[in-house]
Amino acid sequence: MSSNSVIEIRKVVGARLAEIHPEVYYEFADDKAQFPYLVFDLPNSFDDGTYENFVMDIDGWDAPKGGDTMPLELMMAAADAVIHRQIIRVPGMAFIMYRENRLSPPDDDKKIRRRKIIYQIRTFTGG
């Protein structure tokens, strides 16, 4: 994984998610995180010689009173709107983010609701 690509992707994605929600974390939420919140991660990448392709997960977490997941769904829709199909250019590289999958993973704690969107990020380096 190219650390320069990782740094640039983290900066851009973190800033975009922070535009739509104040609680955004990379890899793991802070122990003091308050619901709802977003966590994004870049768990792996591969380089085919033409571009480096990253997998990115964005997880939304909530513990809604009464089980209403509408605020969680709206937060995830807003996150998707600032990520999906976005073309980003930064000095020395560009990248395109595409939604690959949406999931509703169960949590061991029945009070917690989760949503996950998985993206592919294709990076291109050069002048």
Side-chain angles (χ1 to χ4, degrees):
M1 222 186 282
S2 169
S3 62
N4 214 14
S5 297
V6 171
I7 292 166
E8 293 302 328
I9 292 168
R10 283 183 60 181
K11 282 195 249 182
V12 169
V13 170
R16 285 180 173 245
L17 293 176
E19 290 173 8
I20 61 102
H21 196 74
E23 296 261 357
V24 177
Y25 302 93
Y26 180 70
E27 290 183 330
F28 300 101
D30 186 284
D31 289 340
K32 296 176 186 170
Q34 295 190 18
F35 292 110
Y37 59 83
L38 294 165
V39 177
F40 72 101
D41 191 15
L42 298 163
N44 66 343
S45 74
F46 66 90
D47 192 329
D48 73 356
T50 305
Y51 60 86
E52 187 171 16
N53 191 66
F54 288 85
V55 173
M56 178 175 70
D57 301 337
I58 298 178
D59 287 277
W61 298 76
D62 198 6
K65 291 182 175 38
D68 182 10
T69 62
M70 190 58 68
L72 178 59
E73 306 295 353
L74 292 170
M75 180 179 70
M76 294 305 289
D80 190 55
V82 298
I83 300 297
H84 182 48
R85 295 187 177 150
Q86 296 301 304
I87 300 169
I88 309 297
R89 290 177 183 85
V90 295
M93 71 176 284
F95 53 96
I96 304 169
M97 301 181 280
Y98 293 106
R99 179 184 349 98
E100 181 178 284
N101 205 351
R102 295 179 206 247
L103 304 167
S104 296
D107 195 90
D108 292 339
D109 183 341
K110 301 295 182 208
K111 295 176 186 170
I112 294 177
R113 300 293 188 264
R114 285 183 56 202
R115 298 297 182 266
K116 176 188 286 278
I117 304 177
I118 301 170
Y119 296 88
Q120 294 293 324
I121 302 175
R122 292 186 182 143
T123 64
F124 304 89
T125 57

